Amino acid sequence: MRVLVVEDEEGVADAVSRGLTAEGFVTDVATTGTDGLWLAQEYEFDVIVLDIMLPGLSGYEVCRQLRRAGSRVPILMLTAKDGEYDEADALDLGADDFLSKPFSFLVLVARLRALLRRVPVERAPVLRNGDLELDPAANRCTRGTEEIALTAREFSLLEFLVRRRGQIVSRTTIAEHVWDADLDVDSNVIEVYIGYLRRKVDRPFGVQTIETVRGVGYRLREEADAPS
Ligand code: CA
């Protein structure tokens, strides 16, 4: 799950971002409203944590513009009790939830998970490749009738490959979407995780769907979907 945190207070942004990463989220941080809006329009996020008082554009304006552009990404607004705007404004603008500062990190994570569950089914369909099934809403992976336990990172990587099945995806693209953009693509981290996935979703089933494209990246071989 990829989260965009738009927050100009460095301490808060850092703590939230580190905490969410530890919880298995992929986190991007924007420190101005302008950057936040740009990132939200340029990339696909599963949920956005949006502060209201921001340099550039206010969170209020970011939310309004995203909704006007048709985005339905769940938004949790951070409101300050003494701020110019209050909770009612946040909800009026199309935010899905709000949290007053200062907030507890545990409460934030609980609220984000609740928001992710609330996402309409059509936004998080079950993904398939052959008899491999991924249900991002339930964090569930199966091949045939076998349930496969994946870590959060393995799940994100496999989800990314299944969404682009049949296509070659470069290590850089994988690094940007599944890890934070600052992952050193020359490290062997991606390779290691590809290996974990092969040992879990391919080898025990006698198949080789996750292919290495030498010098470029990886490709999940496209397979006809099993009848559902
Ligand atoms: Ca602020």
Side-chain angles (χ1 to χ4, degrees), residues 189-202:
V189 171
I190 295 174
E191 229 171 286
V192 167
Y193 273 84
I194 289 281
Y196 292 158
L197 282 182
R198 284 180 174 141
R199 284 200 284 277
K200 288 186 175 182
V201 305
D202 273 358

Side-chain angles (χ1 to χ4, degrees), residues 7-9 51 53:
E7 165 65 80
D8 59 317
E9 283 164 65
D51 187 29
M53 304 303 281

Side-chain angles (χ1 to χ4, degrees), residues 89-163:
D89 289 326
L91 296 178
D92 271 357
L93 287 164
D96 300 275
D97 200 358
F98 56 82
L99 200 54
S100 301
K101 284 181 172 181
F103 54 85
S104 121
F105 179 72
L106 291 179
V107 172
L108 174 68
V109 171
R111 296 283 196 86
L112 290 181
R113 294 209 191 280
L115 274 182
L116 290 167
R117 279 196 299 271
R118 231 187 280 162
V119 170
V121 175
E122 66 269 19
R123 277 202 65 236
V126 172
L127 305 168
R128 292 190 175 86
N129 189 47
D131 61 352
L132 181 73
E133 269 193 27
L134 276 187
D135 181 353
N139 250 299
R140 197 160 170 264
C141 173
T142 54
R143 188 179 285 282
T145 52
E146 291 278 310
E147 181 138 6
I148 303 169
L150 298 176
T151 64
R153 187 74 77 189
E154 291 165 354
F155 195 95
S156 300
L157 177 56
L158 185 59
E159 178 181 349
F160 190 74
L161 292 173
V162 173
R163 285 188 188 279

